[in-house]
Amino acid sequence: FSAEVVLLDKFVVVYKVSGDAFFYVLANADESELVVANVLSCLEETMSNLLRCVGFAVLFAWLLIAYLSSLCL
């Protein structure tokens, strides 16, 4: 697992480029970089498994619904 860690203002940013996808995780500056990197690793693995199982169209619809529901909160 190779990810880049950047301290930006008051945030820890961990990112990784995988193929043509960019994965970012932001956390408060007081969070451990290792924990944030593990979150990124889990996110990347989950997205990979979802794409393999359900296909891109279903995943896109699910992400769109999740985004729209977060706007209502």
Side-chain angles (χ1 to χ4, degrees):
F1 178 74
S2 79
E4 300 293 326
V5 179
V6 177
L7 186 59
L8 180 66
D9 291 331
K10 297 180 182 178
F11 297 101
V12 172
V13 180
V14 180
Y15 67 95
K16 182 176 182 184
V17 178
S18 178
D20 59 348
F22 293 82
F23 294 97
Y24 294 89
V25 175
L26 279 75
N28 288 330
D30 58 344
E31 290 291 330
S32 168
E33 292 88 3
L34 293 175
V35 172
V36 180
N38 282 331
V39 169
L40 177 63
S41 177
C42 290
L43 173 67
E44 181 189 16
E45 185 178 340
T46 300
M47 296 299 282
S48 175
N49 288 338
L50 282 172
L51 282 172
R52 194 174 314 123
C53 293
V54 300
F56 181 75
V58 174
L59 179 62
F60 179 75
W62 180 80
L63 290 173
L64 182 62
I65 290 169
Y67 173 72
L68 292 175
S69 66
S70 72
L71 293 178
C72 296
L73 296 176

